[in-house]
Amino acid sequence: SRGLGDVYKRQIVELAAIAIDATAGEEGKLFGSVGTRDIADAITAAGVDIDKSEVRLPEGVIRDLGEYEVMLQLHGNVATNIAVSVVPA
């Protein structure tokens, strides 16, 4: 039997990457930050329903524009990564 985590992992792998619009100032520093809720909301908006508690940011919130590899700890012991682009709004 395929676990729910495996189903979500397959959907995330198909999604592969998401972009999040953020307001930034000089040199790409964000006004505010991008956190687990922002990432979960963007993935959910792209069609894969995940919760912010499943998004892992061990180094803390994102404070700069750029490309990030973010780990998702899905249902059970299933983990995968997604590419997150933080782009100027």
Side-chain angles (χ1 to χ4, degrees):
S1 71
R2 310 267 307 151
L4 195 55
D6 291 321
V7 173
Y8 280 100
K9 180 175 180 175
R10 193 169 66 249
Q11 291 175 329
I12 295 290
V13 168
E14 286 171 8
L15 184 58
I18 56 163
I20 296 175
D21 295 336
T23 308
E26 297 286 321
E27 296 164 24
K29 288 273 181 219
L30 302 185
F31 296 125
S33 61
V34 172
T36 56
R37 180 182 302 277
D38 304 295
I39 294 167
D41 288 350
I43 294 170
T44 299
V48 184
D49 193 15
I50 73 162
D51 188 78
K52 69 182 179 82
S53 65
E54 296 169 310
V55 179
R56 298 284 179 260
L57 292 176
E59 293 166 24
V61 296
I62 296 170
R63 297 192 183 279
D64 298 279
L65 296 175
E67 304 281 326
Y68 298 88
E69 194 73 19
V70 175
M71 191 182 119
L72 305 173
Q73 182 71 49
L74 305 169
H75 299 267
N77 293 324
V78 178
T80 190
N81 290 337
I82 190 165
V84 175
S85 299
V86 181
V87 297

